[in-house]
Amino acid sequence: MSLEVIEANGLATIQDAGRIDWRRFGVPTSGPMDMFAFRAANALAGNTATSAVIEIGLGDIIFRALRDCVISIAGVGYALSIYIWDFPLWSSYYVRSGWTIRLNKLDTGMWAYLAIAGGVQAQPILGSRSTYLRGHFGGLNGTQLQVGDILRSETPSRSLNELAARSLSAEALPAYSDNLVVDVILGPQEKYFTNESMSTFMEQEYSVSAISDRMGYRLEGAKLTHRNKVELISEGMAMGTIQVPSSGQPIVMMADCPTTGGYPKIATIASADLPLFAQCVPNKSRIRFQETSVAKAQKKYRMLINKLNEGIVESDS
């Protein structure tokens, strides 16, 4: 089964669950910006939780099916049409050879994930098919998808008829919103910030800057102040880490973030809330932070994944 890209004016890349165990060598994990939507798209298509999909953001894209296939779409901020019909996201669909699949960007949300039953084929690099654009490797030749690219799939786990017309129940969806309260675990450099700055961070509203990308989301809002002149030896970072440079404007590390950094880190976003944060629209979404514990964050993540696993609704046909 295969799809051809016939129009692309946003950012579309191949992503799987990420490049694991290479951060100690300076290689970013990459993978999806919205982990939940990524896993949902794969589950709906009958794929493994780590299969490669197409991550779509920032603009419209059109595919043509070159063979009959089943696709699924999950995410926020896109309108889907297949052939001559409009369809909702968070479902799987049987697509006939020659039909077009259109994803048009809306003014809410940021990322959508298109999974093909069987998973997208790509040559693994360091154990992953994820595209790392700054490193020019992974995916299809280390670049974003271009008009004329052909995307092939592996063998589906079940017959196409069995995999089509599946959906994710509304109760299983995270609470995506343009007015978001995000759980964070404070530290590890909490002591490097003034008491006033800690209060500001937890009480004031922030928005995502337009100068943001898969490496990091820059926040705009009340300035945070370091307690003294801070000089740190660079140390490990991961997706969700919130650094504060001398400008006082926080930067949240995202999927393609560097493996180390030297700015003080005021907090880390809980994994269960990272999908919500990733879908925040620059200059529109409003974000506040609230403290949680490691134990509560881990419980919230387990509950999120359990809801996904239990929320797939099979077709009646």
Side-chain angles (χ1 to χ4, degrees):
M1 295 185 290
S2 54
L3 302 177
E4 179 184 6
V5 180
I6 59 175
E7 183 179 311
N9 59 23
L11 175 64
T13 60
I14 294 173
Q15 300 291 339
D16 63 11
R19 202 159 272 109
I20 309 302
D21 293 334
W22 291 93
R23 294 183 64 80
R24 65 185 183 273
F25 300 109
V27 181
T29 302
S30 297
M33 292 287 278
D34 180 340
M35 169 278 303
F36 183 90
F38 162 82
R39 291 188 61 157
N42 269 325
L44 289 164
N47 298 338
T48 68
T50 60
S51 295
V53 307
I54 305 165
E55 179 183 80
I56 300 153
L58 309 180
D60 306 335
I61 193 164
I62 303 174
F63 302 92
R64 178 186 291 113
L66 301 182
R67 297 183 181 178
D68 290 1
C69 62
V70 165
I71 66 163
S72 62
I73 310 284
V76 185
Y78 278 84
L80 168 67
S81 64
I82 301 174
Y83 190 41
I84 59 174
W85 302 288
D86 297 330
F87 292 104
L89 306 188
W90 305 99
S91 296
S92 63
Y93 301 100
Y94 196 111
V95 180
R96 298 287 185 185
S97 177
W99 286 5
T100 55
I101 303 159
R102 297 172 181 266
L103 282 158
N104 294 113
K105 188 71 185 71
L106 304 175
D107 61 359
T108 186
M110 291 292 290
W111 306 99
Y113 296 83
L114 187 156
I116 311 173
V120 177
Q121 283 186 4
Q123 179 64 40
I125 303 293
L126 301 179
S128 170
R129 294 172 172 83
S130 285
T131 307
Y132 177 43
L133 293 173
R134 282 183 169 82
H136 304 289
F137 61 84
L140 287 185
N141 304 313
T143 65
Q144 67 187 71
L145 299 186
Q146 309 286 336
V147 172
D149 284 343
I150 304 294
L151 302 162
R152 295 180 172 83
S153 72
E154 306 287 352
T155 303
S157 61
R158 293 151 61 183
S159 74
L160 297 186
N161 287 335
E162 290 180 293
L163 293 171
R166 306 168 82 219
S167 61
L168 186 66
S169 67
E171 293 75 20
L173 292 176
Y176 294 107
S177 174
D178 281 330
N179 291 283
L180 195 60
V181 178
V182 176
D183 283 350
V184 296
I185 299 163
L186 294 180
Q189 277 100 35
E190 178 183 351
K191 65 181 181 180
Y192 285 81
F193 297 90
T194 64
N195 293 336
E196 294 78 10
S197 286
M198 293 304 302
S199 297
T200 294
F201 176 71
M202 300 303 294
E203 296 170 2
Q204 296 299 308
E205 188 176 82
Y206 287 87
S207 62
V208 176
S209 167
I211 309 173
S212 298
D213 56 21
R214 277 182 49 88
M215 185 173 74
Y217 278 11
R218 295 178 180 271
L219 300 184
E220 295 179 339
K223 182 177 179 180
L224 305 179
T225 305
H226 299 152
R227 190 176 293 276
N228 295 299
K229 184 178 180 181
V230 178
E231 293 184 5
L232 299 176
I233 297 174
S234 290
E235 60 181 20
M237 295 193 303
M239 188 175 180
T241 299
I242 306 174
Q243 287 195 120
V244 183
S246 57
S247 68
Q249 298 296 303
I251 305 172
V252 183
M253 299 294 100
M254 299 304 285
D256 283 344
C257 74
T259 57
T260 61
Y263 295 127
K265 292 167 280 297
I266 195 169
T268 300
I269 295 178
S271 295
D273 283 358
L274 272 172
L276 308 179
F277 180 77
Q279 296 287 3
C280 286
V281 180
N283 300 324
K284 179 183 179 183
S285 301
R286 296 292 176 260
I287 305 149
R288 290 180 180 271
F289 299 103
Q290 65 180 9
E291 184 179 4
T292 191
S293 67
V294 172
K296 288 180 179 178
Q298 291 173 337
K299 181 179 179 181
K300 189 174 183 179
Y301 182 81
R302 289 194 297 269
M303 291 176 62
L304 183 71
I305 298 304
N306 287 340
K307 286 172 67 177
L308 168 60
N309 293 337
E310 297 168 359
I312 301 294
V313 179
E314 298 284 347
S315 170
D316 293 332
S317 58

